[in-house]
Amino acid sequence: MCYNVRMKITIPKFVGECVSLLEAGGHPTYVVGGCLRDSLLGKTPQDWDICTAALPEQMQAALIGIRTVPTGLSHGTLTILGGKMSVEATTFRRDGLYLDHRRPDSVDFSASIEDDLARRDFTVNAMAYNPKEGLIDPFGGQRDLAAGLLRCVGDPLLRFGEDALRVLRLVRFVAQLGFVPHPQTLAGAKERAGLLRAISAERVQAELDKLVMGEHALAALRIAAESGVLAEILPEFTHCIGFDQRSPYHNLTVDEHSFVALVSAPKELEVRLALLFHDIGKPATATIDEAGRGHYKGHAGVGAKIVRKVLKRLRYPTKVAKHIEKLVAFHSKQLPPRPDVIRRFLGEHGEVFTRDLLKVKAADNSAKAPICGDRSQLYKQLSGMIDDLLAAGDCLTLAGLAVNGADLAELAPTGPQTGKVLRELLKLVWRYPEKNTREYLLAQAIRLLEQKKTDKI
Ligand code: ATP
Ligand code: MG
């Protein structure tokens, strides 16, 4: 593929001011890294980084009238606060030895911009720019940007060995940029994938999130599966890779089906993660009948338990993890397009969960064999039904009933039967929403309480 690389770099006004002030203080200063890569690709950078010959104290002295926060002094990093944006400024550095496959043991500040660029991960991230000197590109970053190539700066085995996070960043950039890893870079990543175990759960989580949300997540997930990266960060997924489902409903292996389903879904993190994991319980529940067909009874429930473990290990917030786990547990539940069933489902699980489950089911269906039929119409119909039921204000929960526990207490002493009667009234109203009137429900309550009394005798 060929990418259109811009020659003109537009720096936000505030970043330009910081560069000018530091330069005026006598310190060579550049815009550097990902922000440059993104602006050369015509994308809006998420964050801006600058690097400079100034040490943090010198930066503070030069940035007259600008607020700064010493965020990482030992690494020479200062955060510069503008009105709406903040900029990370880091002193040029040369990294010392990496003993833990993640962080250098020492940092040498007597470096030049070229030294600083040499310690960066990929050529497309190893360019610097300032208005006076233009683009500084010692490793062919522009060439690789135009070719859509991710190539390590220097020897891939060495660079991935220094910091294994780079292996994961490689796959994440495939997802975000749609670039292809250079063959040697990919080979190095494969060889060093085992070191990913040294990476903290938080970093893995952050990279996995960016990966699944990427425009080119399918290519990235395939590379992650094939290179061993996925098995390192999600060992529980290993058995899904290449798993033949032996089912007429599936013409894809579990991993490929999960990836295709994931990218068919909207770019919503919880929905996409649920799709990545929705069939993770299949290998463990697989049985093969005499005809050679695979069956996966209970795979959703087993999968949900596996997902709970995975998300806990990766330190996802409890609320997010629970939502994903429940989506996995429910993904194969049938939802017939009947208003009473949908009112009940909405009442029991809430609108957010119900809508997300529909997204999961629709994406799952779209990645199945043609024999399953296109159910997209069904999911549209269900979604429209939810809109209508909510717009009509139909009663969905006990709180929406026209009577409450206190009303029932006036009819009979309160006891365990109160809750049971209210629940039966709710079931009635799920079927006949127009019957949610005080008069009708009180009459029904009297009838039900009588019935319960005789049931007891
Ligand atoms: P994004 O901000 O979109 O996540 P990025 O490439 O800007 O991507 P940052 O974490 O903001 O990533 O880092 C800024 C720059 O610092 C990178 O472009 C790269 O030059 C360098 N960098 C970041 N992490 C590493 C690393 N682990 N090894 C080497 N260089 C790195
Ligand atoms: Mg960045």
Side-chain angles (χ1 to χ4, degrees), residues 333-338 342 358 361-362 365 374-385:
K333 185 179 168 54
Q334 301 274 353
L335 279 179
R338 274 177 29 205
I342 300 307
L358 281 188
K361 289 180 72 63
N365 178 252
D374 178 5
R375 298 210 200 117
S376 51
Q377 264 325 100
L378 168 68
Y379 298 116
K380 269 203 198 107
Q381 185 188 355
L382 283 164
S383 173
M385 192 175 281

Side-chain angles (χ1 to χ4, degrees), residues 29 38 43 76 106 118 131 138 149 236 247 266 312 323 352 359 362 419 445:
T29 300
D38 288 343
K43 299 183 180 198
S106 59
L149 262 187
E236 297 84 352
S247 157
K312 193 166 185 242
H323 187 65
V352 172
K359 292 173 203 161

Side-chain angles (χ1 to χ4, degrees), residues 122-127 137-146 149:
F122 305 109
T123 57
V124 295
N125 289 342
M127 293 181 273
D137 179 17
F139 305 104
Q142 256 188 316
R143 170 205 62 202
D144 288 345
L145 260 192
L149 262 187

Side-chain angles (χ1 to χ4, degrees), residues 32-35 37-38 46-47 49 95 98 102 119-122 124-127 159 163 165-166 169 172-173 176 203 207 210:
V32 71
C35 54
R37 172 199 71 221
D38 288 343
Q46 298 287 319
D47 43 38
D49 297 305
D95 291 339
Y98 287 72
R102 179 65 194 100
R119 72 175 177 87
R120 293 175 183 269
D121 48 5
F122 305 109
V124 295
N125 289 342
M127 293 181 273
R159 304 311 311 285
D163 177 3
L165 181 64
R166 292 171 189 155
R169 281 173 59 88
R172 183 257 284 198
F173 286 126
Q176 289 182 323
R203 298 310 295 254
E207 294 297 325
K210 287 182 185 171

